[in-house]
Amino acid sequence: MDLLLDVGNTRLKWGLRDGDRWLGQGAVLLSALDGFADVLAGLGPVRRMLGANVAGATVGGRLGAMLAECGLEAEWIRPQAEGFGVRNAYLDPARLGADRWAALVGARALHGRAALVVTSGTATTADLLDGAGVFQGGVILPGLDLMRMSLARDTAQLPFADGRFETTPRRTADAIVTGCLHAQVGAIERMFRLVAAEDGALCLLNGGAAGSLAPHLECPLRLVENLVLEGLAHMRQEL
Ligand SMILES: Nc1ncnc2c1ncn2[C@@H]1O[C@H](COP(=O)(O)OP(=O)(O)O)[C@@H](O)[C@H]1O
Ligand SMILES: CC(C)(COP(=O)(O)O)[C@@H](O)C(=O)NCCC(=O)O
Ligand SMILES: [K+]
């Protein structure tokens, strides 16, 4: 069994992989990271750990120590210029987030044709993967909750809104939630236009806020559980 880790800025997502199937998946908030030791203790025998960490060296170090307690070495992937059927056209390929790289590899393994790879977590990223497997570039914007939080933090009169989507919002809370959803969905749909003409083009949507965005997206869409873990599972067969 292999343990795969997707360490984002809000949550650690883990998956336990045996051959080509998942034995389990779960998530732990970074604000309660110590609790991951209990998850590790309950997993049973793990052969290796492969992870993508964008939460920084301190979090990486704490995880490394927890894994060492279980006799495991932490193997963190780095974005590559080319590998696993994907070419990374970032000007400096090493600067691409490790999670975005893994998600692109996962997307390619899953779909094999042109895709817009969207991960909506702390940040939202929308990455263009063309039909030949070239990552042409992508955008980063604050995630849905981060947008809502920034309004509450930096204005006198706006709350951390728990409103709902309305075509013509007439309450502050609905205006905020609807505005932030429009910003997310609008960015995604604009990016999708760039691949829409390619054969079989699909928006692959994942991340903690994916369920909130999906009902509003007007493009060919597939909701997927976690593309980073899928990518890591694919990579581990070759690494
Ligand atoms: N129980 C939850 N706790 C925290 N965030 C949640 C929860 N449920 C949904 N979310 C949403 O998921 C986002 C985190 O998603 P995730 O994909 O784990 O992000 P990241 O990879 O950046 O850590 C939050 O910003 C929030 O919008
Ligand atoms: C864009 C990100 C912050 C997304 O992080 P997340 O929302 O998954 O926590 C992360 O992929 C990152 O730090 N990237 C490095 C910069 C880049 O990809 O260009
Ligand atoms: K993200």
Side-chain angles (χ1 to χ4, degrees):
M1 288 190 308
D2 293 339
L3 176 64
L4 305 167
L5 298 185
D6 166 16
V7 189
N9 286 287
T10 302
R11 301 186 305 171
L12 171 161
K13 279 74 64 186
W14 60 268
L16 196 59
R17 186 87 173 183
D18 186 22
D20 58 5
R21 62 196 186 104
W22 295 106
L23 297 182
Q25 287 191 8
V28 175
L29 284 167
L30 291 199
S31 56
L33 191 62
D34 289 340
F36 187 59
D38 299 332
V39 174
L40 278 176
L43 289 182
V46 173
R47 191 175 61 111
R48 69 188 287 207
M49 188 299 284
L50 192 64
N53 174 28
V54 296
T58 305
V59 168
R62 284 172 68 193
L63 286 167
M66 282 186 218
L67 290 160
E69 287 281 319
C70 304
L72 283 169
E73 191 194 335
E75 280 179 73
W76 301 113
I77 61 142
R78 290 177 192 281
Q80 298 165 216
E82 184 147 24
F84 315 103
V86 180
R87 191 158 74 73
N88 177 0
Y90 233 41
L91 293 181
D92 181 351
R95 296 287 175 114
L96 182 68
D99 58 345
R100 294 171 74 190
W101 174 243
L104 286 161
V105 169
R108 189 69 186 162
L110 212 70
H111 184 52
R113 288 192 280 176
L116 181 69
V117 181
V118 179
T119 303
S120 57
T122 313
T124 296
T125 52
D127 293 333
L128 295 161
L129 189 58
D130 71 15
V134 181
F135 163 53
Q136 294 284 2
V139 297
I140 303 172
L141 57 153
L144 186 59
D145 280 8
L146 196 52
M147 279 191 174
R148 289 161 59 208
M149 275 189 275
S150 69
L151 286 174
R153 194 192 56 216
D154 289 347
T155 62
Q157 293 198 3
L158 299 186
F160 183 60
D162 197 14
R164 59 173 193 220
F165 184 89
E166 294 285 354
T167 308
T168 51
R170 295 192 183 100
R171 298 191 312 148
T172 305
D174 297 343
I176 292 170
V177 167
T178 304
C180 294
L181 278 167
H182 275 312
Q184 303 283 322
V185 169
I188 294 166
E189 287 178 356
R190 280 177 68 94
M191 289 301 285
F192 187 78
R193 283 192 226 152
L194 299 171
V195 286
E198 288 202 52
D199 187 41
L202 202 56
C203 174
L204 298 171
L205 176 65
N206 76 139
S212 304
L213 303 187
H216 305 287
L217 275 167
E218 290 175 14
C219 56
L221 182 69
R222 190 194 296 175
L223 255 176
V224 277
E225 195 55 48
N226 186 318
L227 284 174
V228 179
L229 293 180
E230 291 299 331
L232 291 168
H234 188 74
M235 288 175 179
R236 99 195 198 292
Q237 298 170 316
E238 290 181 38
L239 287 177

